[in-house]
Amino acid sequence: MEFSLTDEQQQLRHTVREFAEGEIAPHVMKWDEASQFPAEIIPKLAAMGFLGAIFPEKYGGAGMGYVEYAIIIEELSRVDGSIGIIVAAHNSLCTNHIYKFGSEGQRQRYVVPLAQGKKLGCWSLTEPEAGSDAGGTRTVASKKDGCWVLSGAKTFTTNGHHADVCVAMAVTTASKKHHGISAFIVEKGTPGFRPGKKENKLGLRASDTSEVVFTDCRLPAENLLGEEGEGFVNSLQILDGGRISIAALGLGMAQGAYECSVRYAKQRKQFGRPISEFQAIQFKLADMATQIEAARLLTYRAAWLADRAIASGPDARITRESSMAKLYAGEVAVRVANEAVQIHGGYGFTKDYPVEKFYRDVKLCTIGEGTSEIQRIVIARQLLGK
Ligand SMILES: Cc1cc2nc3c(=O)[nH]c(=O)nc-3n(C[C@H](O)[C@H](O)[C@H](O)COP(=O)(O)OP(=O)(O)OC[C@H]3O[C@@H](n4cnc5c(N)ncnc54)[C@H](O)[C@@H]3O)c2cc1C
């Protein structure tokens, strides 16, 4: 067994870390306080190849694998989870859905500019009445005069207001239930398509989470993505990869909160000694580091398996491993951020220290791309062969 990263992967980690500390860290609290989408960072992320991390160079991507992708998301999120989720939704949800299930024409037309970072993507599955039960989608798409006409609304779409390309799921044959939902590619500016309410969130405030609305939105027939009726089933496969990015997002934020805690514990004195000399604080740090390391092993194992699954063919799945990584890393992130605030005492409750923001941001990891409860259901189904 080989547990270490290659020299190239270690170099990548170093490069992303330098980028995140130089280009993102100085602006994090300003963006967070203002709930401001960090538009100025998007071209820089593109120039670094982060917006096309997992796509072949032939399609404008950086030609990396999921291990490298997890490194990128972890390191960006160590500094700002908002940037992590923007990159994750763009890469492993929107662009990957088109790359995996799109025609060659759709790959050329959409994947290339998305992977180059010339365009930003979003992916809309969730609806107000269809969250965990995403198969309960109500947005409909019907055929009229050789076109598809979409009506309905999606909620909680990451990048919803800023995306140039949206992949959205809609019911095409209600009687076929999960095999009656199709995926569509919708371009910004298409009449009848608009972003709606922007959520005012607890955390990840610099990332945009919005409603997207379809009002008799007419799409050419060729904007159907994948087989008609298979959009929901394909989405489950897309979520296998997406969950690795949420695991990496949680891991990065947990690592960030932990590092702040070590620094603070060494510098903060009470009773004439640094608080790091108190066993109660040492035990917290030991537990945090151990849990982060376990989450890292699960996350990178899932990423490593994802790379092997891609190499072994289109039907290979990593559902169990990606759900386990997402479940564990997400819950570890919440526990670690909680202890990080505790170690900072009253100062951890203020915006003067980064742990306050980590504490708010990490909660998404037990909710997005399937809640912890849903991950347990997915894992149990795999275990019981259902
Ligand atoms: C910041 C953010 C970004 C997001 N980005 C995207 C995006 O880009 N695209 C997208 O499509 N969606 C996105 N989502 C939506 C996200 O995936 C959903 O919020 C999530 O799947 C949960 O759905 P829900 O919010 O409707 O909760 P609900 O499904 O209503 O769940 C409420 C509670 O009930 C529990 N529950 C539900 N069903 C069961 C069950 N069968 N057994 C046990 N417990 C159950 C849940 O675990 C949860 O605790 C985002 C959400 C957030 C907050």
Side-chain angles (χ1 to χ4, degrees):
M1 292 180 104
E2 179 55 79
F3 286 104
S4 52
L5 297 175
T6 63
D7 289 348
E8 289 78 17
Q9 288 163 344
Q10 278 170 22
Q11 181 55 42
L12 174 67
R13 187 183 284 286
H14 178 73
T15 304
V16 189
R17 187 168 288 204
E18 245 183 18
F19 173 86
E21 286 176 353
E23 301 287 345
I24 299 172
H27 312 289
V28 168
M29 279 319 281
K30 181 189 72 178
W31 292 334
D32 181 75
E33 290 280 279
S35 261
Q36 181 190 333
F37 183 81
E40 66 264 40
I41 204 78
I42 303 296
K44 294 180 184 175
L45 293 166
M48 298 296 289
F50 301 159
L51 295 180
I54 46 176
F55 306 104
E57 289 172 24
K58 164 178 177 204
Y59 293 108
M64 294 188 266
Y66 268 84
V67 169
E68 289 78 8
Y69 176 53
I71 292 171
I72 293 169
I73 300 293
E74 181 190 345
E75 287 299 326
L76 294 174
S77 308
R78 174 180 163 272
V79 171
D80 188 2
S82 285
I83 306 294
I85 198 171
I86 291 168
V87 174
H90 169 89
N91 259 287
S92 51
L93 296 181
C94 175
T95 313
N96 201 35
H97 199 139
I98 305 175
Y99 174 67
K100 245 182 162 28
F101 299 106
S103 63
E104 184 54 29
Q106 288 171 331
R107 282 179 166 191
Q108 293 297 339
R109 183 175 171 132
Y110 299 107
V111 173
V112 171
L114 285 163
Q116 288 171 337
K118 290 182 179 159
K119 291 194 169 173
L120 191 67
C122 69
W123 189 81
S124 294
L125 175 64
T126 308
E127 295 188 359
E129 303 301 327
S132 300
D133 180 17
T137 295
R138 292 183 181 182
T139 296
V140 290
S142 49
K143 268 188 194 147
K144 263 189 208 138
D145 310 325
C147 289
W148 288 101
V149 181
L150 268 65
S151 295
K154 298 281 175 183
T155 190
F156 294 143
T157 295
T158 300
N159 300 337
H161 266 262
H162 298 271
D164 304 287
V165 177
C166 173
V167 170
M169 272 39 82
V171 176
T172 42
T173 313
S175 58
K176 291 193 181 166
K177 305 211 161 135
H178 289 175
H179 288 279
I181 298 173
S182 305
F184 295 90
I185 305 173
V186 191
E187 291 184 50
K188 188 178 191 166
T190 306
F193 170 59
R194 65 172 176 88
K197 180 187 166 217
K198 180 183 163 184
E199 300 299 340
N200 184 6
K201 308 196 298 288
L202 167 75
L204 299 178
R205 290 172 60 80
S207 77
D208 160 38
T209 312
S210 294
E211 200 185 19
V212 295
V213 183
F214 304 95
T215 315
D216 291 332
C217 173
R218 190 173 279 266
L219 299 175
E222 65 262 25
N223 283 34
L224 175 73
L225 173 59
E227 298 288 318
E228 183 180 337
E230 293 306 301
F232 176 72
V233 177
N234 294 345
S235 293
L236 298 182
Q237 206 169 331
I238 290 302
L239 286 169
D240 283 353
R243 283 169 184 160
I244 296 174
S245 55
I246 301 296
L249 176 78
L251 180 58
M253 292 191 282
Q255 179 69 30
Y258 162 76
E259 288 176 25
C260 292
S261 304
V262 170
R263 262 196 315 274
Y264 187 80
K266 285 182 180 170
Q267 152 228 316
R268 172 71 174 168
K269 286 194 177 140
Q270 286 295 281
F271 301 95
R273 293 195 278 165
I275 60 168
S276 61
E277 290 185 12
F278 300 129
Q279 197 179 51
I281 301 295
Q282 291 174 358
F283 279 14
K284 285 189 196 302
L285 292 172
D287 284 346
M288 289 157 82
T290 305
Q291 290 171 23
I292 289 170
E293 215 42 53
R296 185 169 285 117
L297 287 171
L298 277 178
T299 303
Y300 282 92
R301 178 167 170 271
W304 182 84
L305 285 168
D307 287 333
R308 261 130 207 90
I310 289 163
S312 70
D315 295 328
R317 298 288 299 266
I318 47 145
T319 307
R320 187 180 75 150
E321 292 78 8
S322 65
S323 274
M324 283 180 170
K326 195 266 179 193
L327 169 65
Y328 190 75
E331 297 204 337
V332 160
V334 170
R335 283 202 293 274
V336 165
N338 183 37
E339 289 294 49
V341 172
Q342 194 66 22
I343 289 171
H344 283 68
Y347 297 98
F349 205 64
T350 73
K351 292 183 188 289
D352 293 346
Y353 288 87
V355 291
E356 176 269 347
K357 179 173 177 296
F358 282 125
Y359 183 79
R360 290 184 284 110
D361 288 351
V362 288
K363 191 58 196 156
L364 178 274
C365 299
T366 65
I367 298 171
E369 298 201 27
T371 62
S372 285
E373 291 76 14
I374 295 302
Q375 300 313 315
R376 289 187 170 91
I377 293 173
V378 170
I379 295 164
R381 273 197 200 129
Q382 298 282 317
L383 301 180
L384 299 170
K386 286 191 182 171

